[in-house]
Amino acid sequence: MKDLPLSDVYQLLEPGPVVLLTTFHNGRANVMTMSWHMMVEFTPPLVACVVSRVDYSFAALRATRECVIAVPAVKLAPKVVKIGNCSGREIDKFETLGLTPLPAECIAAPLIAECFANLECRVVEMRLVNKYDLFVLEVLKAWRDPVQRNPKTIHHRGYGVFVVDGETIRLRSLMP
């Protein structure tokens, strides 16, 4: 074994696919790229995520307490990276990057038509926001695009490196 810099630990433990988080605040929709998230509970579905206070979306999420987590397939990877490399303070990311906002059913933040799944969420826990920028979200409504079959997701490995979903294996599970 060899020493690993602590700043590189996150590259080993990235839990899930890169997603897009949309908000709607002060009459304006925004979208950001996010990879620091994890499932917390199955029923109701709870997701914990970190939205840095330096991100434009932080103030919107804190104020409105709602968002959409949109899951893009690998074909959107170039746009996902562009979304993460610019700020909603300066541009309308939906318009500039050619994303189609769709109305959500339960909240004001938009779904993203190009993503294969969209989760309408409401913030249910904010005790760790001030210290860690960590929000806990409850998924209120989930959407899936039936046209996008077997989509492959991207997973961030750090410093512009991504991994695409690989081979699927099925193993017997004793869990219900």
Side-chain angles (χ1 to χ4, degrees), residues 126-138:
M126 293 186 58
R127 283 184 281 187
L128 296 175
V129 171
N130 287 338
K131 191 169 184 177
Y132 298 110
D133 298 344
L134 188 130
F135 296 82
V136 178
L137 313 170
E138 179 179 349

Side-chain angles (χ1 to χ4, degrees), residues 27-45:
R28 190 160 174 247
N30 189 47
V31 58
M32 67 170 274
T33 301
M34 180 175 71
S35 62
W36 290 13
H37 57 82
M38 69 175 186
M39 289 300 304
V40 175
E41 184 59 72
F42 293 103
T43 307

Side-chain angles (χ1 to χ4, degrees), residues 4 7-8 30 46 49 62-63 73 81-82 120 127 135 158 162:
L4 176 70
S7 61
D8 292 345
N30 189 47
L46 298 179
C49 66
R62 186 176 216 168
V81 171
K82 286 178 184 175
E120 297 182 37
R127 283 184 281 187
F135 296 82
F162 297 84

Side-chain angles (χ1 to χ4, degrees), residues 28-29 35 42 66 71 75 90 99 102 119 132 135 137:
R28 190 160 174 247
S35 62
F42 293 103
E66 59 183 40
V71 187
K75 67 183 177 184
E90 299 155 7
L99 295 174
L102 296 174
L119 311 174
Y132 298 110
F135 296 82
L137 313 170

Side-chain angles (χ1 to χ4, degrees), residues 84-97:
N85 285 330
C86 62
S87 174
R89 285 182 189 90
E90 299 155 7
I91 65 168
D92 179 335
K93 293 185 190 183
F94 279 92
E95 183 178 320
T96 302
L97 297 168

Side-chain angles (χ1 to χ4, degrees), residues 111-144:
L111 310 177
I112 299 176
E114 292 78 10
C115 289
F116 73 86
N118 284 270
L119 311 174
E120 297 182 37
C121 301
R122 183 159 292 127
V123 175
V124 292
E125 182 60 63
M126 293 186 58
R127 283 184 281 187
L128 296 175
V129 171
N130 287 338
K131 191 169 184 177
Y132 298 110
D133 298 344
L134 188 130
F135 296 82
V136 178
L137 313 170
E138 179 179 349
V139 179
L140 305 173
K141 177 82 178 169
W143 302 90
R144 184 167 179 105

